[in-house]
Amino acid sequence: MLFSNILIYFVLIPMLMLGGVALCRNIKQIRAVAVIGSTALIALSAYLIAEFLKAPVEDAVDGMYYYQSWHWFTAQNLNINLTVGVDGVSIAMLLLSSIILFTGSFASWTIAQPKAFFLWLILLSTGVFGFFISLDLFTMFMFYEVALIPMYLLIGVWGSGNKNYSAMKLTLMLMGGSAFLMLGLIGIYYHSSVDGHHTWNLLEIARNNAISTEWQYFLFPMTFVGFGVLGAMFPFHTWSPDGHASAPTAVSMLHAGVLMKLGGYGCFRVAMYLMPQAANDLAWIFLILTGISVVYGAFSACVQTDLKYINAYSSVSHCGLVLFAILMINTTAMTGAIMQMLSHGLMTALFFALIGMIYGRTHTRDITKMGGLMKIMPYLAVCYVIAGMASLGLPGLSGFVAEMTIFVGSFEQGMTDFLAGAGSLRLVFTVIACCSIVITAVYILRVVGKLLFGPVQDKHHLELTDATWWERLSTATLIVCVAAIGCFPNFFENLIRGTFDPELFRAIAMNLNF
Amino acid sequence: MDYSQFLLMKQEVALLVVFLLVFLYDTFAPKKALNALSGITCVLFGIYTVACFCPCVTGASENVFNGMYETSPIIAMIKNVLNVGVLIVLIQSVNWANSDATAVRRGEFYELLLVTLFGMYLMISARHFLLFIIGLESASLPLAAMVAFDKNRYESHEASIKYILTAVFSSAIFLMGLSFVYGLTGSLYFSEIGAAIAAASSPMLICALAFVIAGVGFKLSLVPFHLWTADVYQGAPTPVTSYLSVISKGSAAFAFLVILVQCFSAVYAAAWEWMLYALIILTITIGNLFAIRQRNMKRFLAFSSVSQAGYIMLGIIAMNAMGLAAMVYYILVYVFSNLAAFGVIQAIENHTGKVDMDDYRGLSKTNPKLSFAMMLAMFSLAGIPPFAGFFSKFFIFTSAINQGSIAIYVLVLIALINTIISLYYYLLVVKAMYISDETPVIEKFKSSFTDRLGLTVTVAGIILLGIVSVVYNHILTLASHSSLF
């Protein structure tokens, strides 16, 4: 039975929300639907976490809980099913997505044309939730694309600045990535078969582990680049600054906070998990690229004057770190990568929400034209400082936990490689990537100093008001989450550690020496 | 003679009955009752379409007239797909047919249309080249008259002349190739030609094959045989354009597959795989690149349909049952998506006479429903989930890759990169309708009942055909039981 599985509600609730918003007559009803729906999603994820932590290991199929499969396109060995299942990582991502959707709804409290806006926004999140619960390559890809296309209209219609150009660039680049991805997935489908039985099922493909090394060398770059484009991997990151700068607040939040995680999650779940041999052998190429992302993104953020550009480049840097850590193929670093996904998702959403709120008041995002906001809007300014501190890795906030874990794991793996005579690439790039912490501090402190504490640049700004209740609610929720990860990292580490169980990661473990 | 053989030709016979009824009504009905002609045709054809979905043949394929004519479930299926398309075209054309300029001649329009459909049936079912030529000619010559139907418009004439000249020219080339084939093999039966070619190949065959492919390539408007497409699509009355772009193309594609597989399967790897390979790359790429610059919506969809034909060919190059199924499904989805786009164009053209993309600016503010239908059509044509176009593209790529060679991967990669180009120009339409800030050109208007009915059907198809997996599962099952491979 379809509705007996809890996971299906993660897609069903957004669909109901879509129907609800379509029936709404005025903005109040739309707000109500958005808030009730996203609250239900948060409650559902919380319930799922509680159930998941209690669930006995025997319930899992290859480490995936609530595993279930329904036939879809099954004629003639096509074997496309709707397969769902979650492990700690997916649950963490589901929680993240519902929190961002919740806060995003508040951040777009007074948006123009609310009906159409929320329809597209919820369609986008339907794709996101569907992606995270799918274990079937076809449905995964389908939801992935469902999440991409609403961006075009969301940026194009509700965006600001050079929105036409940015919307088109973002859509075409991400769809370009998904073109490679589609080829990679079809390749995986054909080359993972055992006795002529093809399958799209992720777990079955991993279990069979039947993709020959040569094909892995061909398909791994396809899938990794395909997802990597969304993860803002250098040199495919150029959509990100333009896109985020032009997007309306809630879309920036959802896009940087959740959609970019689709990239990292996909790289890890599909590319690395299914093709461990190639992941090991070709990791150096992508380590170099993501290493460049990390440092280059941070340096670029230093010279920008537009608040959104600063944060977008900082996202390139931080998301680069996610891919970087995944490529270490080391349990500690990978755990760090997932922590970083969570941490960056919340923190960047907080940043974009705040930038949107500041922009809504001052009508400029240029830091040279603003200053002294701490006196004018203390609540927003304090939130901005907290977000900044999380971003540069202050202990007690989420950034520290994530980056610390990543660098410890990376260095560990680098030393292992080095001592085993496997080259010093990982070690060198870990050291290089570590530099990004310092650069992050530079651009964060520069903005905080200039924007919040400098002299007031524009007298008109003195008349501006501080945050409204919905803005306070939205930012406070995010800050609580950021602090929760920072203060109780153990809880989240326990949640996701199961994923890196050697038994589950057998495909990788069989081929590689940890 | 065993007259029971005609039972297997159920679809053709029934179509003839529909044709005769329409013809008799048009001829003998009193002047006043003629206004009902459009409605009667639509209803009759609707009944016929629904009736055809009842299985006419069970099991494998069956021959009639010593193997000149063949029918099988998958063949019945493609005919049904065409029927659905024709039904939508008929519904959408009611407004135009009843307009003052065409009302006196609308009977001819319906009759010509049904005759061409009959010709397409013969093309699909023919297993002997004589019958095939009859089908080909009766499918293309009346179309020239239909293209020239707006006889007071200069463009319509020009388009008609272009169409008839290329149609005759391509038929001549096709016949030339056919005479080579006949000379080589001594038969016009598909099966005997196939056997003869498998037994002894000859260099001359390459020449014959090139002529045959070129001949059909004109019908499908594959690059470099596409030069007539844009002008004809632009000049023809819009219902005829939509008919040309989906029905004519769909039937030719299926017939093309049958010819290549039944007659020339022995030289698949040696000859036509590579010809088709090059044609697909050219067709998709050039069609896409030219579509970017078009401002007239009909020319725009003409080039888009050129590139769509390239994607349809991917199902042929797969050379297996999955490819056949993917092709039939692709045609089905293409029928719905393209007709949705043409439905919007027609509704706007009938009310305002505007067909330029620039006129669509800000359409979402004045006519939100029409813009929504157009947007779904564009998304489906571009292959965006959860709309049907995504599924059809995915399946056709999957079936093509089944061949497995690295060259096919390259081909599919090129096709995939082209979907990004196509997404760009489809999004241009969406951008004009939704994002452009300029004051809307087109006033708010209420479209007629038939326009709305046609658009509702096509939009429902776009949304449901993919998600409801029964359709593709059914087609795939039928295809895998076909005797073609």
Side-chain angles (χ1 to χ4, degrees):
Chain A
M1 188 51 205
L2 191 64
F3 300 116
S4 62
N5 192 300
I6 179 173
L7 296 178
I8 213 73
Y9 290 97
F10 277 103
V11 178
L12 214 60
I13 292 178
M15 283 182 174
L16 286 177
M17 284 165 78
L18 278 180
V21 171
L23 292 176
C24 284
R25 295 255 177 81
N26 56 38
I27 187 163
K28 281 188 181 158
Q29 293 174 347
I30 294 171
R31 285 173 188 162
V33 170
V35 170
I36 292 171
S38 47
T39 313
L41 282 165
I42 293 183
L44 192 62
S45 349
Y47 173 73
L48 189 63
I49 290 179
E51 287 290 304
F52 173 77
L53 290 175
K54 278 192 297 193
V57 185
E58 304 85 63
D59 281 5
V61 177
D62 282 345
M64 291 293 175
Y65 292 82
Y66 307 103
Y67 177 88
Q68 208 158 351
S69 191
W70 299 277
H71 292 311
W72 199 12
F73 293 96
T74 47
Q76 304 301 316
N77 205 8
L78 195 58
N79 293 326
I80 293 173
N81 300 312
L82 177 61
T83 312
V84 297
V86 284
D87 61 1
V89 176
S90 346
I91 291 181
M93 292 297 123
L94 289 171
L95 179 67
L96 173 70
S97 315
S98 39
I99 291 174
I100 307 280
L101 182 64
F102 176 77
T103 51
S105 311
F106 281 105
S108 34
W109 204 243
T110 52
I111 195 96
Q113 300 183 51
K115 192 169 187 168
F117 180 84
F118 274 99
L119 281 178
W120 288 115
L121 193 74
I122 294 167
L123 182 66
L124 189 154
S125 46
T126 313
V128 169
F129 286 114
F131 180 83
F132 286 132
I133 62 168
S134 291
L135 285 181
D136 183 274
L137 293 179
F138 178 86
T139 45
M140 216 169 179
F141 181 70
M142 189 189 81
F143 283 121
Y144 177 80
E145 290 216 330
V146 167
L148 295 190
I149 200 70
M151 289 300 294
Y152 178 72
L153 284 148
L154 284 169
I155 295 179
V157 179
W158 290 272
S160 57
N162 198 359
K163 58 182 186 178
N164 276 340
Y165 169 77
S166 316
M168 193 60 98
K169 184 178 183 181
L170 180 141
T171 315
L172 293 185
M173 280 193 77
L174 295 186
M175 282 298 185
S178 75
F180 286 95
L181 182 58
M182 189 199 267
L183 192 69
L185 295 186
I186 298 177
I188 291 176
Y189 169 71
Y190 278 116
H191 292 283
S192 64
S193 59
V194 173
D195 305 329
H197 176 79
H198 299 309
T199 177
W200 297 94
N201 188 316
L202 209 102
L203 300 180
E204 249 176 83
I205 294 172
R207 205 182 304 138
N208 293 342
N209 197 16
I211 310 173
S212 68
T213 314
E214 294 76 29
W215 277 107
Q216 287 195 17
Y217 286 157
F218 176 66
L219 297 172
F220 177 75
M222 290 276 171
T223 38
F224 199 90
V225 170
F227 281 119
V229 174
L230 190 52
M233 184 175 72
F234 180 86
F236 309 109
H237 67 282
T238 54
W239 58 267
S240 154
D242 288 325
H244 288 153
S246 302
T249 306
V251 177
S252 292
M253 288 168 70
L254 217 70
H255 199 268
V258 180
L259 267 174
M260 283 171 92
K261 310 299 167 291
L262 259 63
Y265 180 88
C267 283
F268 150 74
R269 182 74 87 208
V270 178
M272 314 259 312
Y273 187 53
L274 299 183
M275 292 169 285
Q277 185 64 47
N280 186 45
D281 298 350
L282 301 181
W284 62 275
I285 301 174
F286 296 103
L287 264 177
I288 293 175
L289 290 179
T290 51
I292 294 174
S293 288
V294 172
V295 181
Y296 167 83
F299 270 124
S300 302
C302 286
V303 295
Q304 297 296 328
T305 55
D306 184 313
L307 278 175
K308 274 199 169 180
Y309 271 98
I310 294 174
N311 201 37
Y313 275 113
S314 134
S315 288
V316 171
S317 168
H318 283 129
C319 282
L321 209 52
V322 171
L323 296 183
F324 180 82
I326 287 173
L327 284 163
M328 286 295 163
I329 319 182
N330 169 295
T331 313
T332 316
M334 283 175 140
T335 311
I338 308 300
M339 297 295 285
Q340 172 78 349
M341 283 198 214
L342 279 176
S343 149
H344 173 255
L346 295 167
M347 153 183 113
T348 205
L350 179 56
F351 260 129
F352 277 120
L354 290 167
I355 293 170
M357 290 162 196
I358 293 174
Y359 178 68
R361 290 172 168 74
T362 60
H363 302 291
T364 178
R365 292 194 305 255
D366 192 336
I367 54 169
T368 59
K369 291 184 182 141
M370 290 185 282
L373 294 190
M374 188 60 96
K375 297 166 212 149
I376 304 167
M377 35 188 104
Y379 179 85
L380 291 180
V382 167
C383 292
Y384 204 96
V385 173
I386 296 174
M389 291 305 124
S391 182
L392 60 77
L394 187 78
L397 296 171
S398 62
F400 170 75
V401 178
E403 290 184 5
M404 192 67 195
T405 324
I406 288 179
F407 289 125
V408 167
S410 306
F411 198 78
E412 193 181 292
Q413 187 64 26
M415 281 310 279
T416 318
D417 273 15
F418 184 65
L419 294 177
S424 53
L425 185 92
R426 283 201 166 108
L427 203 57
V428 171
F429 268 86
T430 307
V431 173
I432 293 176
C434 277
C435 298
S436 75
I437 302 181
V438 182
I439 312 169
T440 307
V442 172
Y443 65 76
I444 293 290
L445 294 178
R446 166 173 163 259
V447 172
V448 168
K450 178 79 191 56
L451 181 72
L452 307 178
F453 294 108
V456 178
Q457 299 283 334
D458 191 334
K459 291 216 170 60
H460 298 292
H461 289 175
L462 287 169
E463 293 149 22
L464 299 174
T465 51
D466 206 356
T468 53
W469 70 266
W470 60 83
E471 289 170 339
R472 282 170 200 258
L473 182 61
S474 162
T475 44
T477 314
L478 288 168
I479 289 175
V480 167
C481 296
V482 167
I485 296 181
C487 298
F488 308 102
N490 252 350
F491 175 77
F492 290 93
E493 288 212 31
N494 285 337
L495 184 67
I496 56 191
R497 190 173 285 279
T499 306
F500 305 105
D501 187 35
E503 174 59 25
L504 173 67
F505 240 70
R506 96 167 68 62
I508 293 181
M510 254 174 3
N511 289 291
L512 310 172
N513 320 313
F514 266 109
Chain B
M1 185 174 171
D2 180 9
Y3 288 100
S4 71
Q5 289 189 334
F6 283 104
L7 277 181
L8 290 172
M9 298 180 75
K10 186 181 108 171
Q11 281 173 305
E12 279 79 2
V13 175
L15 181 64
L16 273 184
V17 171
V18 173
F19 168 75
L20 281 176
L21 289 175
V22 172
F23 178 70
L24 291 175
Y25 187 85
D26 184 34
T27 315
F28 295 110
K31 267 247 155 45
K32 277 181 197 164
L34 273 181
N35 276 334
L37 182 65
S38 305
I40 287 178
T41 315
C42 288
V43 170
L44 268 178
F45 200 86
I47 294 170
Y48 160 68
T49 305
V50 173
C52 278
F53 273 101
C54 308
C56 61
V57 270
T58 51
S61 57
E62 298 192 55
N63 290 316
V64 186
F65 308 130
N66 298 323
M68 272 187 113
Y69 174 99
E70 188 182 88
T71 189
S72 70
I74 188 73
I75 289 175
M77 188 67 207
I78 182 77
K79 287 176 184 167
N80 286 337
V81 169
L82 297 183
N83 286 344
V84 172
V86 169
L87 182 62
I88 299 170
V89 169
L90 283 176
I91 293 173
Q92 288 179 342
S93 69
V94 167
N95 254 5
W96 169 79
N98 286 339
S99 64
D100 294 338
T102 27
V104 275
R105 286 171 281 135
R106 66 188 153 204
E108 289 143 52
F109 171 71
Y110 292 127
E111 286 140 26
L112 288 172
L113 192 145
L114 294 176
V115 169
T116 52
L117 183 63
F118 185 76
M120 288 166 198
Y121 277 13
L122 289 187
M123 277 167 76
I124 290 167
S125 277
R127 293 298 175 271
H128 186 280
F129 271 115
L130 276 182
L131 192 62
F132 183 84
I133 293 291
I134 293 172
L136 186 72
E137 294 304 333
S138 56
S140 45
L141 294 184
L143 260 175
M146 285 162 68
V147 171
F149 219 75
D150 280 350
K151 68 175 181 185
N152 298 324
R153 266 177 59 226
Y154 169 76
E155 292 86 3
S156 191
H157 286 267
E158 187 195 324
S160 172
I161 293 294
K162 274 191 179 142
Y163 183 77
I164 190 85
L165 287 180
T166 39
V168 171
F169 184 59
S170 66
S171 298
I173 289 180
F174 184 76
L175 285 172
M176 180 77 180
L178 209 54
S179 61
F180 285 175
V181 172
Y182 185 63
L184 284 169
T185 60
S187 171
L188 284 176
Y189 280 103
F190 287 12
S191 51
E192 291 177 14
I193 293 173
I197 287 174
S201 185
S202 138
M204 179 97 151
L205 194 65
I206 305 290
C207 196
L209 195 56
F211 279 128
V212 168
I213 289 182
V216 187
F218 272 107
K219 289 270 169 298
L220 279 164
S221 58
L222 301 178
V223 176
F225 318 113
H226 69 294
L227 293 166
W228 59 276
T229 320
D231 290 339
V232 172
Y233 278 31
Q234 186 186 6
T238 313
V240 180
T241 310
S242 53
Y243 183 71
L244 262 175
S245 73
V246 292
I247 314 296
S248 174
K249 191 161 276 185
S251 62
F254 193 90
F256 195 30
L257 181 138
V258 171
I259 292 179
L260 285 178
V261 169
Q262 289 229 314
C263 304
F264 300 108
S265 60
V267 288
Y268 167 69
W272 63 263
E273 186 185 6
W274 300 108
M275 291 185 192
L276 214 55
Y277 192 92
L279 279 181
I280 291 173
I281 293 180
L282 277 176
T283 306
I284 299 182
T285 314
I286 292 182
N288 273 336
L289 291 180
F290 277 72
I292 293 177
R293 297 302 297 268
Q294 303 305 322
R295 306 310 302 172
N296 179 301
M297 284 304 285
K298 281 158 85 178
R299 277 186 93 81
F300 168 81
L301 281 178
F303 280 108
S304 124
S305 81
V306 168
S307 78
Q308 297 282 347
Y311 291 108
I312 295 177
M313 292 300 104
L314 281 173
I316 299 183
I317 210 169
M319 250 297 264
N320 54 32
M322 215 170 146
L324 173 66
M327 193 181 89
V328 172
Y329 181 67
Y330 198 98
I331 293 170
L332 175 67
V333 171
Y334 175 63
V335 162
F336 278 88
S337 323
N338 225 28
L339 287 183
F342 272 114
V344 176
I345 291 177
Q346 274 186 63
I348 290 173
E349 197 187 7
N350 286 341
H351 279 86
T352 63
K354 292 191 162 66
V355 280
D356 263 19
M357 202 189 283
D358 295 340
D359 299 330
Y360 283 50
R361 285 189 187 144
L363 187 70
S364 67
K365 290 178 197 113
T366 50
N367 295 291
K369 283 180 184 162
L370 281 183
S371 335
F372 183 69
M374 190 64 157
M375 181 173 65
L376 290 198
M378 291 296 128
F379 282 171
S380 182
L381 285 171
I384 304 289
F387 307 115
F390 167 77
F391 294 87
S392 62
K393 279 219 166 73
F394 196 95
F395 293 140
I396 213 144
F397 291 142
T398 310
S399 66
I401 284 190
N402 200 10
Q403 282 301 321
S405 69
I406 201 83
I408 295 286
Y409 274 89
V410 174
L411 176 68
V412 172
L413 184 62
I414 293 172
L416 276 165
I417 289 171
N418 266 292
T419 58
I420 309 305
I421 303 177
S422 71
L423 180 65
Y424 169 69
Y425 60 74
Y426 290 129
L427 282 182
L428 285 183
V429 182
V430 177
K431 179 174 142 190
M433 295 187 304
Y434 281 86
I435 296 181
S436 173
D437 292 329
E438 288 158 57
T439 29
V441 181
I442 296 166
E443 303 277 296
K444 189 174 176 59
F445 65 84
K446 191 165 163 59
S447 35
S448 65
F449 168 71
T450 47
D451 284 347
R452 271 179 285 150
L453 179 65
L455 282 176
T456 314
V457 172
T458 47
V459 165
I462 288 174
I463 294 173
L464 293 178
L465 277 177
I467 294 173
V468 179
S469 59
V470 171
V471 184
Y472 186 65
N473 280 338
H474 182 62
I475 294 177
L476 188 54
T477 315
L478 292 186
S480 59
H481 292 147
S482 84
S483 55
L484 272 172
F485 299 100

